[in-house]
Every structure is written in structure tokens, then in C-alpha cells.
Amino acid sequence: MSLLESLRAVFLGRGRSLADAAERERLADVEAPEAKLRAALGDADRDPLGAIALGRPALDPDSDPLLAGIESLAGSHLWATGSSGAGKSAAILAWQLAALEAGVLVPNPTVSLTVADAKGEAGPWLTDLMLPALLSEKSENEARQTLEHVHVVRPFDAASLPEMNILVPQPGTALGLQAKECSGFVSETLGPGLGTLGARMQVIVLYLFMLGIDAKLSLLEVKSLLVNRNYLDGILRFCTVPEVTEYFVHRFPSESKESLNGVASRLDALLLVPGPARVLCAPTCLDFQDCLRPGLFVFDYGDPPRGAEGQLFFWARVILSALTRAAMSRPMRPVPCPAFFCLDEYQTGLDDLLAAFLERLLSQARFRRVALWLINQNTAQISSKHPALVATLLNSTAMQVAFRQNPADAAALSPMLPTSGPDAWIPTSVGAPAWSVRPASPSEYRSRMVEETVSLPDRTFWFAYRKKGVQAVKLTSPTVEFDDARRAADAAPQWLRDTCRGLGKGRSPQELDDVLARRRAHIGLVAAGQADRACPDFTDRVAVEIRRTAPSVSATATEPPPPPTAATES
């Protein structure tokens, strides 16, 4: 206890109470919070995978930064919030760059980093700026080897489109479950004016997708099932699920025209935009297990075409569900590498389905060495859509980061703030002289920290490490020198800059246009009763050729129904 604190205690007649063992223990616990946090983070210098500099103590900016070992962070979820302009995005980028330099941009990568960017900011920062700047220091051979472990997926890219046919059968996933998941993607995510799927429309979509998955179709063919009875009859000949056949033979004809039109309008909202239509009608689907292998995987879906903003919500659902499925099916032997999922503005399109994905990841992914880094501006973005998720985030994240907040959001985050500190003194009464003070109660001190959070300077944040029971410490985030990075990127060889900008994994629009043309031809032939011609043609000319020239990112192939045999003809 300092001399000033002792004198204050004497003036107040509280020397005995402050000498009480419990009070002394409470104050001792916060006299050196930075030291306790350093001890909780462990010896990062000995971490075999390297370390991330979280920041420096705000009260002692000249001290050494607090380091967290990457190995020790495996499975420790992080939640970061902060108002726009408070420095949150730059801090997260600095931590991502530290993980990249330590475990990804090396000859033998040991860390998996996946960045899902719904804001259209982190993806370009990494691919257009930071990667050229970092790789410009390597030889051309080393840089090319490193880029083999970097994958970028842009559903709205004009030059390189990923193959993400959501109706490709997923290994280990039951047909009904996959169909239900896919039907959830289209129920409420396609923008204003369409509304929520009614009960009958949900049944129609579910069975349409079950038939589409069973027959290995795409959304283009599924839409034709709705409007072309001859095509539906032709595909039903190959259906292997009696329940699905029974529905379309006996119940589907009685569905109302309004329900059918409502389903068709949602599929049109996806298929009328050329880029996503090509992506969703591709012959294959990306294998999201790649996101758990050492390397960098970027999903940049934050820049949808004008007029198709609702598709951002659709892709948010598709990507998060696929990441959840990949994480939950990750084998634990041999011990996998640490994997970090950085989900920026993850509340985009948040509803019960997305919240369920997040809650499942938060509760189970850490046991598979998968850590979530969840980034959004404030708690109101979450509570307005799914109030219970805020409590889940507070209880399930080991690391919590709070930059400057508005008063309501700062109050919502109060459980992470400290309850005592060396400055835990408040006036004895309103208008009392400066020397008339008393120790603040935990609730009073926390209320003062809430007020302080509202006015935190840029780049200053609270960091709470709940895993070790250490109360929040105020830190200053690392600095990302964007000007230096721009100069280094501009000075990088032209081949490196072009390669980093063109990292999108997928196929050219021309290739996928050819797939669409052959799918349309396939629909016409099946509808005309010529399935024996349609299916072999489609298989030989599209699926086989695509597999022969498949992209480096592993994919799951889909084929159309097999040609009918003599038995089926009869």
C-alpha cells in the first residue's frame, strides 16, 4: 500500500478495515495486473510455434509488450468489440500478421488461419497489401512456395469464381440434414420484399433440395423442377429415396401456386446474378477441410453486386455452416495444428440458424484445437437479433477485448471489466473535500470503468483473460505501419503483386458458363424424354473434364444421374 493510501485510511479511520486480510488480498490482486497477465499467458518465448504481441500496458507504454504463444492460444476463443475508428480492425490485423509470420509464411507452415470477411476490408488488406509487402523480402522461389499455402475465395469475383455447389453430397452428412441446412440458407437471406418462408414453402424447399442432392443437381436444375413437370418426371426416375418420390408423386401436385411461386422467387434471387449463379451451379464444391490445414484461407464476400446485397447474408450462412461442419469433423489423432477462424462482422445475417452454428463452435471447437476470433462493433448488433448470444459470448470466450464503446454497449460488457484497482477510491459524499475518500466497492469501481470505456483513446483497449481468472488490463494495441507496407508492396516485383491480387481459387467465368450451358441442355433433353442422351453427354463433357483440370483446392465432385438401364426403361 502506498503512503498516500495509508494516510487516506488514517483520515477515514479505516486503517483497521484496510488491514483486514480480505481487503489486503483484494488490493494486492490488482496492484500489478500486468504482471499477473504475463504470468497467465506463460513463457511465450518458448512457444514452439511463435508468439503474438497483444499490446503494451497503457499505463507503461515503454514496457515490453505482452506476448501470447500461438500454441497456448489453440482453442482459446477471442471476442473483440469496439466502435468504428477505435483501432479494433488494425489491432486484429496486427495479430493476424503475427500469426502469419510465425506459422504460415514459412517453408513448413504449422498454423492454419482462416479469415471470413463480411466487410470487404480485411481480405484486400491481406491479399493486396500485406502479402506482397511480407513476401517481397523472400526469394522468388520461397515466395512461390509460400503462396501455394494461400487460398482466397471470392463469390463475387469477376475473374476467378470458386466452385461452391451447395447441393453436392457432403460425406458423413445425412441427406435430410444437408437438405434442411441448405433450405435454411434461402429462407430469410435474400433481401427485402421476399419475407420469411411459410410452413408450406419450407416443406417444398426441403423436398426439392433432398431430390437435388440425391440426383446430384444444382440450383438451376432444382428451379426447373418447380416449373417443368416433364423434367421433374424425368429426374424422379433416378430418385433413390422412396420418401422423396412419394412426396412429389402424391403431395407436390396439390401445393398451392402461391407457395410454388414464393419458392421460385427466392431461387431467382440467387440465379439472376451471373457470378453467384455460376458459383452455385459448378460441378463441385470446395472442401472446407482445407481451412484446417496449415496455411491462409480468406473468404472475401463483403462486396456483393449492386442490387444483390441480400446475397451477402446468404454467403455468410453458407460459409459459417461449412466451417462449423469442417471443425466438428476434424480428427484429433494425430494432434492437428492450431487453427484460427477470424470472423469479421460475423453478425451479418445473424438469426437462430447462424447463432446455433456459433454456439456449437464456441462450445466444442476448442477441443479440436480450433479457436474463434469474433469481431464486431458492439453488443447491440448481436442482442437486437439474438439476445441470448451476448451472454454466450461472455461466458464462452477465454479472451475478451473491448475498445471504445458507447455507454449502452460498455454497460453490456461490464462483466469483463475489473472490479478493483490501485485507484479504487471515491469521495465519501457528494461535495466532500478531495482528501475525504473511501475504498470503492466492486460494483462502484466497475461502474467507473464502464464510464472510462466510453472515452478510451484510439488503439487502447481492455483485455481480459478469463481462462486464467485474470481481470481485465488496459493495453495499447500494436501499430500496423500501413504507409511502410504500401511502399514495400509497391516496390515488390510485378509478378508477386499480380499473383497476390489474383489469388482467387476457382474457374474463369467462361468455364462455368460452359457448365451452365450444358446444364440447360441437360434439362431440355431430360424434359424431352431423352435422358439416355442427356446424362452421358453431361457426364462426359462437363464432370469428367472439370475433374481432369480441377483446381489445386481439393473439391468434392458431383455428377448428374446415371443413364437409365434397360430395367429402368421398362
Side-chain angles (χ1 to χ4, degrees):
M1 185 188 308
S2 67
L3 176 61
L4 179 58
E5 290 170 344
S6 300
L7 291 174
R8 284 173 173 166
V10 171
F11 282 135
L12 294 172
R14 296 180 181 269
R16 181 172 298 175
S17 65
L18 285 178
D20 181 83
E23 187 72 7
R24 292 172 67 90
E25 182 179 349
R26 184 172 77 89
L27 289 179
D29 185 54
V30 296
E31 284 182 352
E34 294 86 1
K36 292 183 176 294
L37 179 57
R38 288 184 194 276
L41 292 172
D43 190 354
D45 291 334
R46 296 185 180 180
D47 194 297
L49 299 182
I52 295 175
L54 299 174
R56 299 177 186 272
L59 299 179
D60 188 11
D62 295 328
S63 62
D64 293 334
L66 278 82
L67 301 177
I70 294 177
E71 179 69 36
S72 65
L73 294 180
S76 296
H77 302 315
L78 178 145
W79 181 28
T81 61
S83 301
S84 179
K88 172 181 77 274
S89 296
I92 297 297
L93 179 62
W95 299 340
Q96 291 172 351
L97 293 176
L100 284 175
E101 290 189 273
V104 177
L105 305 182
V106 293
N108 297 304
T110 55
V111 174
S112 172
L113 177 65
T114 297
V115 178
D117 180 19
K119 195 164 56 173
E121 183 178 78
W125 275 357
L126 287 169
T127 59
D128 297 353
L129 185 62
M130 295 303 171
L131 278 179
L134 294 172
L135 295 179
S136 63
E137 301 174 359
K138 299 178 179 288
S139 67
E140 179 174 346
N141 185 50
E142 290 177 326
R144 292 188 183 277
Q145 288 181 346
T146 299
L147 289 174
E148 292 178 359
H149 301 283
V150 179
H151 313 288
V152 182
V153 175
R154 300 186 181 99
F156 306 116
D157 196 349
S160 181
L161 294 165
E163 298 181 57
M164 294 183 67
N165 182 350
I166 62 174
L167 298 183
V168 171
Q170 299 295 331
T173 302
L175 173 67
L177 291 178
Q178 183 180 348
K180 184 177 181 181
E181 186 177 273
C182 291
S183 66
F185 297 157
V186 302
S187 66
E188 302 178 52
T189 62
L190 299 179
L194 296 179
T196 303
L197 282 177
R200 293 311 310 162
M201 286 192 287
Q202 291 180 11
V203 172
I204 295 170
V205 170
L206 180 63
Y207 279 99
L208 280 173
F209 284 175
M210 288 177 70
L211 179 57
I213 295 168
D214 179 64
K216 301 180 176 63
L217 306 179
S218 73
L219 288 182
L220 180 67
E221 289 99 328
V222 167
K223 167 68 185 307
S224 297
L225 295 174
L226 275 173
V227 299
N228 190 327
R229 181 69 200 197
N230 289 336
Y231 180 64
L232 174 60
D233 291 341
I235 292 299
L236 282 175
R237 294 168 56 194
F238 309 110
C239 182
T240 63
V241 185
E243 177 189 356
V244 174
T245 302
E246 189 275 337
Y247 167 80
F248 281 103
V249 170
H250 299 290
R251 297 166 55 193
F252 182 74
S254 63
E255 298 287 5
S256 70
K257 186 176 181 180
E258 292 76 11
S259 295
L260 297 177
N261 288 339
V263 173
S265 67
R266 282 161 177 78
L267 296 178
D268 280 338
L270 285 171
L271 296 173
L272 290 178
V273 182
R278 297 182 182 112
V279 169
L280 291 167
C281 295
T284 62
C285 186
L286 293 177
D287 182 2
F288 279 75
Q289 286 292 335
D290 284 349
C291 301
L292 299 170
R293 300 183 180 104
L296 171 65
F297 217 113
V298 179
F299 291 94
D300 184 2
Y301 56 96
D303 189 21
R306 194 175 204 181
E309 288 78 6
Q311 293 218 4
L312 189 152
F313 308 139
F314 172 82
W315 288 109
R317 285 183 165 199
V318 170
I319 290 169
L320 186 55
S321 68
L323 290 175
T324 302
R325 189 166 49 247
M328 294 299 99
S329 61
R330 190 183 201 192
M332 292 305 298
R333 290 290 182 272
V335 177
C337 70
F340 298 90
F341 288 175
C342 301
L343 310 181
D344 197 357
E345 299 299 331
Y346 60 94
Q347 81 285 349
T348 301
L350 183 65
D351 60 1
D352 290 343
L353 182 65
L354 272 183
F357 291 147
L358 285 173
E359 290 172 346
R360 189 179 181 197
L361 281 172
L362 286 167
S363 63
Q364 300 180 37
R366 59 193 179 90
F367 299 111
R368 301 178 184 272
R369 289 170 62 81
V370 176
L372 299 185
W373 289 4
L374 303 174
I375 306 108
N376 66 286
Q377 289 190 9
N378 51 62
T379 58
Q381 294 174 319
I382 310 301
S383 58
S384 62
K385 299 179 180 180
H386 199 280
L389 186 57
V390 174
T392 300
L393 289 167
L394 285 169
N395 294 327
S396 302
T397 51
M399 296 177 290
Q400 295 168 359
V401 174
F403 284 80
R404 186 171 59 246
Q405 310 271 339
N406 63 48
D409 292 315
L413 292 173
S414 62
M416 68 167 285
L417 298 177
T419 57
S420 58
D423 57 344
W425 300 91
I426 60 175
T428 55
S429 61
V430 177
W435 52 264
S436 181
V437 293
R438 63 176 177 82
S441 68
S443 61
E444 290 171 331
Y445 189 79
R446 178 169 280 173
S447 296
R448 199 165 81 189
M449 295 302 99
V450 168
E451 296 174 1
E452 191 172 315
T453 303
V454 176
S455 57
L456 284 175
D458 290 350
R459 297 181 48 235
T460 301
F461 62 95
W462 289 107
F463 181 87
Y465 193 33
R466 297 179 60 255
K467 187 175 182 179
K468 298 293 185 178
V470 180
Q471 69 175 10
V473 175
K474 200 184 303 180
L475 303 178
T476 301
S477 67
T479 302
V480 178
E481 300 294 346
F482 287 100
D483 291 338
D484 291 346
R486 288 189 184 93
R487 284 190 288 270
D490 291 341
Q494 188 65 41
W495 73 265
L496 178 57
R497 285 181 285 163
D498 292 342
T499 303
C500 290
R501 291 192 182 103
L503 279 172
K505 298 295 184 184
R507 296 203 166 269
S508 70
Q510 293 75 21
E511 289 178 292
L512 294 183
D513 279 341
D514 183 63
V515 174
L516 282 171
R518 298 193 181 283
R519 285 193 183 280
R520 292 189 179 99
H522 167 260
I523 292 171
L525 289 170
V526 173
Q530 303 180 40
D532 55 335
R533 289 182 52 202
C535 296
D537 174 77
F538 188 84
T539 300
D540 295 340
R541 299 292 299 277
V542 178
V544 171
E545 176 62 20
I546 289 294
R547 284 202 302 274
R548 186 179 67 81
T549 60
S552 58
V553 178
S554 57
T556 303
T558 179
E559 301 174 0
T565 63
T568 57
E569 284 287 356
S570 62

